[in-house]
Amino acid sequence: MKKDIFIFKDGELKRKDNTILFLGEEQQKYLPIEQVDAIWVFGEVTLNKRFLEIISTKEICIHFFNHYGYYLGTYYPREHLNSGLVILKQVNLYSQDSMRMPVAKEIIKTAVKNILIVLKYYRSRSKLVSSGIETIESMATQIEKCQDINELMAYEGNIRGVYYQNFNDIIDNDNFQFIKRSKRPPLDGINALISFGNSLMYTSVLSEIYKTHLDPRIGILHATNGRKFSLNLDIAEVFKPIVVDRIIFNLINRKVITEKDFKKQTHGTMLTEKGKKKFLKEYTDKMMSTIKHPRLNQYVTYKRLIRLELYKIQRHIVEGDNYKGFVARW
Amino acid sequence: MNVNGTLIWYYHICKREVWLMYNHIVPDQNDENIALGRFMHEITYQRQEKEISFGHVKFDIMMQTKDHIVIGETKKSDRYEEASRYQLLYYLSVLKEAGISASGLLLYPSQKKRVKVELALNEEKKLKEIIRNIDIICSQTEPPEVEKNRFCKRCGYREYCYA
């Protein structure tokens, strides 16, 4: 199984003997290219065209993050899976509300179902989230009535608002209070964790989109204008609750991550390198853990589930199949 | 439309696959069977001329003796024998139309097996019918529906079709 590589150290990424060599200040390390799935770069890294050439032939995406841990962008090699038909149909779906709305609704409904799965798990662990569950359940019934994307996004935002308030009931540590969602910069630890986790999820989904025929620039929920990629943001909605949020609860409640893993700066609060590594360890473990897939009758990793979700979207686009989102079972 | 050898091959495995391939929707390239097939194609018969384009078809291997041409098609196993045979027969018929007489050889390097293939008259007729049917499949706006068969289990489209 191919691996995701995360680089925190400063150094140089080089092409050496048809594979990748990372030259750090103290260490040098070969990364066997056939085993690399995608690369996440957090450190200060230099690289050259020769390196990008081999990365492109091996079809590897590189995601870059800046000093503050914000997503900078992705080196998304030239498309290797080209089907004019899929692109045309994807654009067609985007531009016709009657085709776009049902898929957009299904994505939001699936995301909300997964939020409820997470909350119900904590209710069974005697956390006081019952009223939150009720509120979200009643709000969810309204999704079907939404007339356009903006209305749909507004509903989703309101549901997330209620959900985030429930974070305070789930998290056992008073130092991590959710007050208000803040981004760029995140103003407290909990927001820093949400932002970091979400950007990992966005990039993971993007890496998987690269392996399908879908075009990441054409979203379904998120409008395509202004940003480079948007389809990954859509599909991430489905997985954020069951992957990212669960990791946040686990890390804080098990006291793996504490206040010491954050630093306050004029630019808000951010995870320290150690904190990011703790998060990543949990993230990769989760992504590589498997569940039995009900229809495929085989064990699949969470990472693979993302690809399967994209296949379902692609099939919907090409064949008009009814897309049904992945809902976790516990 | 120009039918190529691969479509003839897929036609015998799965009609849906024909449509998908025709529309450049390719199977998962990291699927282990596909990777193995690609690898085997790379490492075998390195001394022979490979990937010879002829019109709109492409032969795996061409072996030429003084007065005779042999077209070789490398396959992983003889699990898809019928499909492979028709693929090769199609190449022979394309050559025949161009006035070149050749014979075919199915190559299974991992099984150390070779099967000789010759074009017969009734098979030429059958090929014409197959090509007509492929034309019909590909002219549809959507692929034929999923139909489970014994090849699904190891197919690179498995997750695309069944997830």
Side-chain angles (χ1 to χ4, degrees), chain A residues 8-9 14 41 86 111 139 196 243 250 258 261 268 274 286 292 306:
Chain A
F8 281 93
K9 295 240 161 26
K14 288 184 72 162
V41 177
V86 177
M139 289 166 96
F196 185 67
V243 176
N250 279 338
T258 62
D261 293 306
K274 221 173 152 193
K286 182 79 184 171
K292 179 110 186 239
I306 296 175

Side-chain angles (χ1 to χ4, degrees), chain A residues 208-221:
Chain A
E208 292 303 310
I209 291 177
Y210 184 60
K211 296 166 198 155
T212 72
H213 293 76
L214 296 165
D215 190 319
R217 295 168 299 180
I218 309 163
I220 295 167
L221 271 170

Side-chain angles (χ1 to χ4, degrees), chain A residues 15 47-56 75:
Chain A
R15 171 181 184 164
L47 39 86
N48 61 15
K49 194 181 81 185
R50 252 169 58 80
F51 172 76
L52 292 177
E53 270 165 9
I54 194 166
I55 285 295
S56 302
Y75 178 71

Side-chain angles (χ1 to χ4, degrees), chain A residues 140-168:
Chain A
T141 57
Q142 302 298 308
I143 292 173
E144 202 53 68
K145 293 179 194 148
C146 288
Q147 296 290 322
D148 58 48
I149 296 282
N150 289 336
E151 208 184 324
L152 192 60
M153 294 286 266
Y155 255 103
E156 194 260 352
N158 293 343
I159 288 175
R160 266 200 176 263
V162 177
Y163 174 49
Y164 282 139
Q165 287 308 318
N166 276 299
F167 275 37
N168 294 330

Side-chain angles (χ1 to χ4, degrees), chain A residues 81 83 89 213 304 315 319, chain B residues 16 23 28 159-161:
Chain A
L81 301 177
S83 168
K89 288 196 172 185
H213 293 76
R304 196 70 182 175
R315 209 172 63 212
E319 307 178 30
Chain B
R16 191 174 150 80
N23 285 294
D28 179 11
E159 292 176 327
Y160 174 72
C161 290

Side-chain angles (χ1 to χ4, degrees), chain B residues 41-58:
Chain B
H41 177 75
E42 272 167 35
I43 62 155
T44 54
Y45 304 104
Q46 292 193 356
R47 280 168 300 179
Q48 248 90 27
E49 216 185 323
K50 293 210 287 195
E51 298 242 13
I52 301 103
S53 288
F54 187 89
H56 53 269
V57 294
K58 204 184 247 179

